[in-house]
């Protein structure tokens, strides 16, 4: 894990200056009404974090870093359209 830390630091540095949005996790959790499936998914996630114990914090950090870029890529592939960026 220590050998991967510099790679993650570089990835975080690159993502900090990108246009990929990183919404706050708490605001995502409490905004709007949630379905029963969402509640079950959150409970399953909490159980999984409890199950892995000591690996929970590094795994959560990796998920926080890699989640938005993967979702951004998924949206690009799914919609198959280029996002127009302003010149200025």
């Amino acid at each position: 894990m220590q050998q991967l830390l510099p790679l993650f630091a570089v990835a975080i540095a690159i993502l900090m200056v990108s246009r990929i949005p990183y919404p706050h996790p708490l605001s995502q959790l409490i905004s709007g009404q949630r379905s029963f499936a969402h509640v079950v998914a959150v409970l399953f996630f909490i159980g999984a974090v409890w199950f892995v114990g000591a690996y929970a914090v590094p795994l959560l950090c990796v998920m926080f870093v890699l989640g938005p870029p993967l979702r951004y890529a998924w949206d690009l592939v799914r919609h198959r359209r280029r996002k127009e960026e302003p010149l200025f």
Side-chain angles (χ1 to χ4, degrees):
M1 188 64 118
Q2 291 178 349
Q3 290 82 15
L4 294 177
L5 190 58
L7 296 175
F8 281 117
V10 170
I12 291 170
I14 292 170
L15 289 171
M16 285 175 68
V17 296
S18 70
R19 294 186 182 264
I20 298 174
Y22 274 87
H24 195 275
L26 185 61
S27 64
Q28 285 184 327
L29 254 171
I30 62 173
S31 66
Q33 293 183 349
R34 301 295 182 196
S35 65
F36 180 71
H38 182 76
V39 173
V40 170
V42 168
L43 290 176
F44 178 75
F45 180 74
I46 290 171
V49 167
W50 184 7
F51 180 72
V52 294
Y55 295 110
V57 172
L59 288 175
L60 288 173
C61 291
V62 168
M63 286 176 47
F64 180 75
V65 169
L66 296 179
L70 291 175
R71 183 173 181 172
Y72 185 79
W74 175 257
D75 286 343
L76 284 179
V77 168
R78 197 172 88 204
H79 295 298
R80 292 195 187 267
R81 60 183 151 161
R82 293 184 63 197
K83 293 196 174 191
E84 298 284 334
E85 293 188 17
L87 293 175
F88 300 102

